[in-house]
Amino acid sequence: MKNYSRLCLACLLLFSMKLTAQLKVNPTVKATSDANFPYHLPQVANGIKTIKPVEIKAMQPAAIDVKPAIKISSSAQQCALLNSMQPSLQLEGERKDANLVDLKWQAKDLYDKKGFEVQRSIGDSNNFKSVTFVNAYAKALAKEEYRLTDINETIQPTYYRLKQVKPGGGHAYSNMVLINGILQFNLFPNPVADVLFLKLQTVKNSNVSIMIYDNKGVLVLGKQTDLTKDIINTQKINVRALRTGMYNVKVANADTTLYSDKFIKE
């Protein structure tokens, strides 16, 4: 038994010496470990890998422009949204003469409608009042055209818009159009044979004097009258008795001449 143990120990020493000699001669040889071998020798790589150093450059942080948050109220957002949207109900308008304004509009694909309330605001775009109501066509069309003539004799600018009324009670508005006021003073016919008509407008109620002078500056006719603001005030003067020639008409309030124009008497 002792002899057998000594033999095993001798074989083990011999194997270790042989393996050590191989590693010294060829370091690239990979040592293997047997499962029954009592010791695990370190693994030897087949080749030597060289690890190159990597240069890491420090990057400067980019400047970030941080702007303070802007708070937008819900009403401002709504106004911006409404301004960016193109209304499907388009209104157009123009002054036909000193008394009338022509309005026309198109309704595209507006099947859910009862009619259109025509509104106007004199002097600004904040105080709209209803002028009239136009019923929608009984049969819905892909493109509907409407027209209306409004009596407008104001000297101030007028804003118009449409209010589309739906059968269920809802509504929608069109775009706004601006119509300029008419001339503040006009006389006709010119030349005149019998009756001279004057149309006057004023921004406030006032009492004025209407005076007619001949070409020498002599007062030949005159009258006083009251003017109502923001409307056309029509005055008529009988000039049949005047001689043929050139005359000058003046409208004065106290010592201030408001209007002045010339006419020819036939």
Side-chain angles (χ1 to χ4, degrees), residues 6-262:
R6 290 176 181 175
L7 180 60
C8 290
L9 181 59
C11 292
L12 178 60
L13 291 175
L14 181 61
F15 178 80
S16 299
M17 292 173 63
K18 184 178 179 180
L19 179 61
T20 302
Q22 291 179 352
L23 291 174
K24 288 182 178 181
V25 174
N26 186 10
T28 61
V29 176
K30 181 179 179 181
T32 59
S33 61
D34 191 275
N36 297 324
F37 195 74
Y39 302 101
H40 295 281
L41 298 177
Q43 297 289 332
V44 178
N46 291 334
I48 299 175
K49 294 183 178 181
T50 303
I51 301 175
K52 297 181 179 180
V54 178
E55 181 181 1
I56 301 176
K57 297 181 179 180
M59 300 179 63
Q60 296 294 332
I64 302 176
D65 185 12
V66 180
K67 297 182 179 179
I70 301 176
K71 296 183 178 180
I72 303 177
S73 63
S74 58
S75 60
Q77 290 176 340
Q78 184 179 9
C79 291
L81 178 61
L82 292 177
N83 290 333
S84 63
M85 295 177 61
Q86 183 74 7
S88 58
L89 185 59
Q90 291 295 311
L91 174 65
E92 298 178 6
E94 63 178 357
R95 179 169 291 283
K96 184 177 181 180
D97 53 34
N99 304 314
L100 302 176
V101 171
D102 280 341
L103 300 172
K104 61 181 180 179
W105 63 94
Q106 294 181 354
K108 300 178 181 179
D109 302 323
L110 297 179
Y111 298 98
D112 186 19
K113 59 186 179 300
K114 180 179 180 181
F116 308 95
E117 181 179 304
V118 181
Q119 300 179 347
R120 69 182 176 194
S121 178
I122 298 175
D124 57 43
S125 59
N126 301 319
N127 300 290
F128 283 94
K129 296 181 180 180
S130 177
V131 175
T132 187
F133 189 85
V134 178
N135 292 318
Y137 294 136
K139 183 179 180 180
L141 304 174
K143 181 179 179 181
E144 301 174 4
E145 295 184 353
Y146 297 83
R147 184 180 295 271
L148 175 72
T149 299
D150 181 43
I151 299 176
N152 186 323
E153 300 177 340
T154 179
I155 62 175
Q156 299 187 47
T158 303
Y159 291 85
Y160 284 90
R161 73 179 181 185
L162 299 175
K163 180 181 179 181
Q164 175 210 341
V165 180
K166 299 181 180 180
H171 63 271
Y173 290 101
S174 72
N175 58 304
M176 290 188 296
V177 294
L178 172 62
I179 303 297
N180 293 324
I182 63 174
L183 296 176
Q184 298 181 355
F185 180 71
N186 185 30
L187 56 84
F188 63 93
N190 191 7
V192 59
D194 298 319
V195 180
L196 180 68
F197 290 90
L198 280 72
K199 288 193 172 183
L200 310 96
Q201 290 178 298
T202 179
V203 295
K204 62 180 180 179
N205 298 329
S206 58
N207 179 268
V208 299
S209 298
I210 301 176
M211 298 163 289
I212 298 179
Y213 298 87
D214 62 15
N215 57 0
K216 296 180 181 180
V218 178
L219 178 64
V220 293
L221 285 176
K223 63 178 292 188
Q224 284 191 333
T225 186
D226 292 326
L227 300 181
T228 303
K229 68 176 183 178
D230 297 337
I231 66 170
I232 292 181
N233 296 266
T234 302
Q235 300 291 325
K236 61 181 181 179
I237 303 174
N238 192 335
V239 296
R240 184 180 303 172
L242 296 180
R243 295 179 179 179
T244 302
M246 180 75 70
Y247 291 85
N248 186 29
V249 179
K250 288 186 179 181
V251 180
N253 180 6
D255 296 331
T256 304
T257 300
L258 302 177
Y259 312 110
S260 179
D261 203 354
K262 296 181 182 296

